[in-house]
Amino acid sequence: MWMMNIVIALLLSPVGNQAGKCNNFVFNKLLEGPPRSQYRGRYVNGSYQYSVVIPRGFIAYDVPDPANHHGFGLAFGKPSQSYIFVNGEYNSLEYNTPVEAAMRAVEYLRQDGAQVEPETITKSNLGTLDAAHLVVIYSCPGSSKQYVLSSIIALSADKGFLYQLEIYSPANQYERDKSVLDQIIKSWKMRSTSPRRRRR
């Protein structure tokens, strides 16, 4: 699920799984340098009617000037990196509930080769929207190292838009690194207008 044209789909597609082939993140290509768009502070997405605040000290990236920006990604953490993706798009697969989208996310993770432990899906909120909170512990083929995918998934009130805010993190860093995602989730707001986003 999730696509800018083909490139943004790969970079920022939550249920389409940014990792692709387990943890082989296409997003890493953006981290290598220009061309790319960079965002700091408040990010406003007029196309999909939401805004969030990128925590101080962090820089988020997207491909440069697609027809419609869906969101952004950021990477951080030591010794291994954690990845956060924030995304909005049309509910093109016509999910009726956030839980349906969460279950599809797990399917995609398995299709990409991950060995998935039993997932947990609980009720949550994203701003004023009902949401599903998905937590998956998984490992990649040929490795015993464990990772955590934690995702908040919501539909707009009219079910026209699908939103996902997620983190992929090494399991031993997850409790620490998820605090960054928590800050972004708390700042998330639905917008009824479509102002231009501030780019820096």
Side-chain angles (χ1 to χ4, degrees):
M1 104 194 185
W2 333 85
M3 323 248 171
M4 136 197 139
N5 11 44
I6 295 298
V7 179
I8 197 65
L10 291 174
L11 293 177
L12 295 174
S13 164
V15 172
N17 186 12
Q18 293 85 329
K21 303 304 178 186
C22 212
N23 281 348
N24 183 22
F25 287 91
V26 178
F27 176 73
N28 281 327
K29 294 181 179 179
L30 277 186
L31 300 178
E32 295 172 359
R36 62 188 180 183
S37 296
Q38 300 184 12
Y39 303 96
R40 297 179 177 87
R42 180 164 293 280
Y43 169 93
V44 179
N45 190 303
S47 297
Y48 300 101
Q49 300 178 9
Y50 73 92
S51 71
V52 296
V53 175
I54 299 164
R56 185 181 299 274
F58 291 87
I59 303 174
Y61 299 101
D62 188 13
V63 295
D65 300 320
N68 288 306
H69 282 274
H70 290 246
F72 58 80
L74 60 87
F76 65 100
K78 293 180 179 179
S80 300
Q81 287 189 314
S82 293
Y83 297 84
I84 287 175
F85 298 97
V86 174
N87 194 77
E89 69 170 34
Y90 292 112
N91 183 18
S92 59
L93 296 184
E94 299 183 349
Y95 295 112
N96 288 311
T97 67
V99 171
E100 290 180 19
M103 294 174 65
R104 180 63 62 88
V106 178
E107 291 178 17
Y108 276 105
L109 195 60
R110 287 193 173 102
Q111 289 174 15
D112 287 333
Q115 303 297 312
V116 177
E117 296 187 8
E119 71 276 4
T120 61
I121 301 175
T122 56
K123 291 182 179 180
S124 186
N125 295 97
L126 182 61
T128 59
L129 301 178
D130 291 335
H133 182 201
L134 167 67
V135 178
V136 180
I137 299 174
Y138 69 97
S139 58
C140 294
S143 173
S144 60
K145 186 173 182 178
Q146 290 188 316
Y147 300 87
V148 177
L149 163 61
S150 178
S151 181
I152 294 289
I153 303 170
L155 299 174
S156 58
D158 64 1
K159 299 183 181 179
F161 294 141
L162 177 63
Y163 302 106
Q164 187 157 346
L165 293 80
E166 64 183 6
I167 183 171
Y168 291 82
S169 181
N172 62 355
Q173 297 176 196
Y174 170 68
E175 289 299 328
R176 180 193 68 197
D177 291 352
K178 75 181 181 71
S179 64
V180 180
L181 179 63
D182 290 343
Q183 292 178 61
I184 296 174
I185 291 170
K186 288 178 181 178
S187 74
W188 193 95
K189 293 181 179 179
M190 191 83 189
R191 302 179 65 89
S192 58
T193 58
S194 300
R196 294 176 62 87
R197 284 161 303 140
R198 181 177 63 187
R199 180 183 301 174
R200 295 182 179 179

